[in-house]
Amino acid sequence: MMSGYSPEHAVSGVTDPFLQVRILRLLRVLGQNDESVCDAMSDLLAQVSTCTETQTNAGNAVLYETVLTIVETKSASGLRVLAVNILGRFLLSNDKNIRFVALTSLQRLVQSDHAAVQRHRGTIVECLRQTDTSVNRKALDLCFALVNESNIRVMMKELQRFLQSCSPELKEQCTSGIFLCAEKFSPSKRWHIDTIMETLVTAGESVRDDAVSHLIQLISGSSELHSYIVQRLYKAVRRDIVQQPLVQVAAWCIGEYGDLLINGACEEEEAIQVTEDDVLDVLEGVLQSHISLPSTRAYTLTAIMKLSTRFNNTINRIRRVVSIYGCCHDVELQQRAVEYNALFKKYDHMRSAILEKMPLPENSTFAETEISIEEIKEKNESQPKSIPSRRLATCFVTDLLGLLEESTEITPITSGVSSIHQNVPNGGSLLDLLDETPNPGALPSHVAYNNNGLLVEFSFTRPPSSPALLVVNSCATNSSSSDISDFQLQAAVPKNVQIQLQAPSGSSLPASGGGSVTQSIRILNPQKVPLRMRLRLSFTHNGNPIQEICEVNNFPAQTWQ
């Protein structure tokens, strides 16, 4: 170290980068959990960070190892900011591999050094405009992690722009992330609803099925905006019916609030003169269009039937339209038409009561995956114990490095049209009739992984305040003769199950069972499908990086029934 420049070992002007990398890795090991060592080597790390050439791969390799050493030790805050700035310079590189590495590293730092990463938000957003899909995906995840109350409007504009041009495999991830951020940080209900409607227009068919039902929930809970929303959706569907998810929402809103559309009482939107026949013309056009999906036709036929209690002058026309579909080849549409005809003929005195406006939903939140225990407790204290049916969002939180895409085929995804959302009853078993409460502690534990001394065991609990929520407590131990470091557990489930992983208690497993790493996994399974989970375990053992992927299919029946 003291011998100075050695040209025979230099690479592209960098003195012996291989030796520097090895030394930095050694410092990383020595500095873990030892503040005095971190203080002693802080000046050295700062010197390497500022004096190393950044125009060559050799220099970038040394800088990257320096960043890892700073991040994985208890370095001073100034050094951590310096590490983030180095990664920010990496983002300006023309080499897409360097950009990918920088984005991956920044994603690890965004929670602990959020303010420092936030300073590079503009550069990160620029990575969305790159042509490489892998870089786009990493930049997208990082952008969602940087969204907060102060930048929500600016970031949503950038993400909407990216959604217009991104590759098809990223559209669903992008839309799910936009929906989640809009729910979490929206400055107003109107902005929230406008953002989701614009996203539906841009994304087209690249949205999950439950996006429609969640938007309907949000709209129904915003009574002061009903007139504005129904006029805007009517204009959109009159202009174009290609975007089927938006047409489904429009059909529901017109059926529910068609009287407001006819009255034209809306201060926010330019007043339009609409007659009852105009509205029925648009809805019949949706029914007859060859591009309309079966679910869209079902929404539309129900909307027309609801208008029989909202409109006064077109009852006979509505009766004729409904009767036509009594012999439709689509069984779902035929069943609806037959039942609606029965309402007209046999139960006309009950029709107005059956088709009255839907009551406000008990829970109109749109967040699909980011549900914390604290949020659930707050909702349960102020509302009846119900959780709307959701499916897993393939967003930046739960898209576990590609595992989720592989696991989407585990269970077929079905969607019903008849119901908008499903409430999970409190308890939900015969024990409720006997005034008995299931004992959460009675759920048996389960060994998820056991190989070469590494044991991962799951135990299960259900919070009394939220019986629909399953909390999986993972405990990893190491019975081998050598330590395990850099331990990380990731999990993915089918789309109709919802998962959220909490931060682990650590990343090191001492040998001979000298310690453990625990991690909490929260799961919502409203459809009560058999639980399946794919695990990715990555760790370093005896100096060798190891990655294991396994699938857990034999969960105890009590965890999902």
Side-chain angles (χ1 to χ4, degrees):
M1 290 294 293
M2 306 302 297
S3 61
Y5 183 69
S6 177
E8 63 270 21
H9 298 116
V11 177
S12 301
V14 179
T15 303
D16 206 339
F18 298 98
L19 178 60
Q20 288 197 56
V21 166
R22 290 292 184 178
I23 292 173
L24 288 167
R25 289 179 181 175
L26 176 60
L27 292 177
R28 192 185 318 162
V29 174
L30 296 175
Q32 286 184 349
N33 302 318
D34 194 329
E35 293 186 9
S36 61
V37 174
C38 293
D39 293 339
M41 64 184 185
S42 60
D43 290 341
L44 173 64
L45 293 176
Q47 182 179 358
V48 174
S49 300
T50 54
C51 298
T52 302
E53 177 63 45
T54 60
Q55 302 301 319
T56 63
N57 282 336
N60 288 332
V62 173
L63 285 174
Y64 181 63
E65 288 295 333
T66 306
V67 169
L68 293 182
T69 302
I70 294 173
V71 169
E72 296 185 15
T73 57
K74 296 183 178 180
S75 300
S77 59
L79 268 182
R80 298 182 70 87
V81 172
L82 182 59
V84 172
N85 291 340
I86 292 172
L87 295 175
R89 293 205 303 271
F90 282 178
L91 292 178
L92 300 175
S93 172
N94 294 326
D95 190 330
K96 62 183 180 181
N97 294 318
I98 294 178
R99 291 198 301 269
F100 182 87
V101 168
L103 290 168
T104 303
S105 302
L106 286 171
Q107 202 166 359
R108 295 172 56 188
L109 290 168
V110 70
Q111 297 300 326
S112 58
D113 300 273
H114 188 272
V117 179
Q118 191 75 246
R119 296 190 189 99
H120 300 276
R121 189 179 72 228
T123 311
I124 295 168
V125 170
E126 284 296 321
C127 292
L128 291 176
R129 302 185 177 96
Q130 305 296 326
T131 56
D132 186 88
T133 304
S134 299
V135 172
N136 291 157
R137 180 177 283 109
K138 284 295 180 183
L140 185 62
D141 290 346
L142 192 51
C143 284
F144 286 133
L146 293 176
V147 175
N148 55 33
E149 292 88 348
S150 62
N151 61 28
I152 179 68
R153 294 180 184 272
V154 175
M155 290 298 290
M156 284 299 107
K157 289 180 180 178
E158 295 291 347
L159 292 168
Q160 294 274 9
R161 187 178 297 115
F162 172 72
L163 183 61
Q164 294 175 358
S165 59
C166 71
S167 57
E169 60 265 30
L170 291 180
K171 279 187 179 291
E172 186 172 336
Q173 177 186 351
C174 187
T175 54
S176 298
I178 289 175
F179 292 161
L180 179 61
C181 291
E183 165 65 27
K184 197 172 183 179
F185 303 111
S186 63
S188 66
K189 275 191 176 181
R190 174 172 172 174
W191 181 92
H192 187 184
I193 294 172
D194 285 345
T195 299
I196 295 179
M197 288 195 294
E198 289 171 9
T199 304
L200 290 179
V201 171
T202 305
E205 302 299 320
S206 301
V207 296
R208 293 181 9 257
D209 295 337
D210 61 345
V212 172
S213 61
H214 282 298
L215 179 55
I216 288 174
Q217 274 189 289
L218 180 62
I219 291 173
S220 62
S222 307
S223 56
E224 70 280 5
L225 297 174
H226 286 167
S227 181
Y228 161 75
I229 294 169
V230 72
Q231 286 206 29
R232 181 168 180 183
L233 287 172
Y234 172 76
K235 291 177 182 177
V237 78
R238 184 178 60 179
R239 184 170 54 251
D240 184 14
I241 63 171
V242 174
Q243 311 298 350
Q244 290 292 287
L246 187 69
V247 175
Q248 293 171 13
V249 176
W252 186 90
C253 287
I254 292 172
E256 198 71 14
Y257 313 118
D259 51 335
L260 300 177
L261 183 60
I262 298 300
N263 295 335
C266 177
E267 298 179 358
E268 293 87 352
E269 282 283 290
E270 182 181 350
I272 56 173
Q273 296 297 325
V274 181
T275 65
E276 295 180 3
D277 285 314
D278 291 337
V279 176
L280 291 177
D281 287 342
V282 171
L283 294 179
E284 284 191 57
V286 174
L287 277 176
Q288 297 166 6
S289 174
H290 68 281
I291 66 174
S292 294
L293 298 173
S295 56
T296 304
R297 290 191 174 96
Y299 271 104
T300 306
L301 186 63
T302 300
I304 292 175
M305 185 62 188
K306 284 183 177 181
L307 292 177
S308 68
T309 62
R310 276 68 160 171
F311 291 173
N312 300 318
N313 304 321
T314 52
I315 304 298
N316 291 331
R317 179 178 176 180
I318 292 174
R319 192 193 299 264
R320 287 196 302 272
V321 172
V322 171
S323 63
I324 290 173
Y325 288 89
C327 54
C328 178
H329 293 295
D330 186 326
V331 177
E332 169 74 16
L333 214 58
Q334 184 188 88
Q335 180 180 344
R336 287 172 184 260
V338 170
E339 292 171 354
Y340 296 159
N341 272 318
L343 273 181
F344 275 123
K345 295 178 181 178
K346 297 182 180 180
Y347 308 103
D348 195 57
H349 60 287
M350 299 172 58
R351 180 165 51 86
S352 60
I354 292 174
L355 299 176
E356 66 182 5
K357 290 185 178 181
M358 297 287 289
L360 292 179
E362 293 176 345
N363 188 344
S364 59
T365 57
F366 192 86
E368 300 167 321
T369 57
E370 288 293 283
I371 303 176
S372 66
I373 290 292
E374 292 76 19
E375 289 171 338
I376 292 176
K377 287 182 179 178
E378 290 173 4
K379 291 173 186 174
N380 283 328
E381 290 172 358
S382 60
Q383 302 175 10
K385 308 293 191 297
S386 64
I387 298 179
S389 172
R390 304 178 178 94
R391 287 203 303 272
L392 177 64
T394 53
C395 68
F396 65 101
V397 176
T398 52
D399 183 6
L400 303 175
L401 304 178
L403 282 176
L404 195 55
E405 285 79 9
E406 298 172 11
S407 65
T408 54
E409 300 297 325
I410 293 178
T411 305
I413 300 170
T414 59
S415 62
V417 178
S418 303
S419 63
I420 296 173
H421 70 279
Q422 171 187 356
N423 286 332
V424 181
N426 192 10
S429 68
L430 186 61
L431 294 175
D432 292 339
L433 301 178
L434 304 176
D435 293 328
E436 294 180 13
T437 303
N439 180 13
L443 295 174
S445 60
H446 180 70
V447 176
Y449 179 86
N450 188 6
N451 191 24
N452 296 328
L454 177 60
L455 173 67
V456 178
E457 188 173 14
F458 287 167
S459 59
F460 310 95
T461 58
R462 290 190 185 276
S465 59
S466 302
L469 178 69
L470 176 67
V471 180
V472 182
N473 299 302
S474 167
C475 181
T477 56
N478 173 26
S479 60
S480 67
S481 58
S482 56
D483 294 346
I484 289 178
S485 61
D486 302 324
F487 176 79
Q488 188 177 23
L489 181 146
Q490 298 169 299
V493 292
K495 276 191 173 181
N496 48 358
V497 180
Q498 182 178 327
I499 188 172
Q500 183 187 23
L501 278 74
Q502 298 299 297
S505 60
S507 61
S508 300
L509 291 169
S512 304
S516 63
V517 172
T518 59
Q519 188 171 6
S520 178
I521 304 172
R522 296 200 293 269
I523 293 177
L524 281 177
N525 183 8
Q527 298 182 18
K528 296 185 178 181
V529 298
L531 189 56
R532 306 178 69 180
M533 185 181 294
R534 185 167 296 173
L535 300 178
R536 171 181 284 176
L537 305 171
S538 56
F539 52 92
T540 302
H541 195 205
N542 293 324
N544 299 316
I546 299 174
Q547 180 174 289
E548 296 281 353
I549 295 178
C550 65
E551 190 163 321
V552 185
N553 300 321
N554 51 347
F555 280 90
Q558 300 95 313
T559 61
W560 54 270
Q561 287 182 344

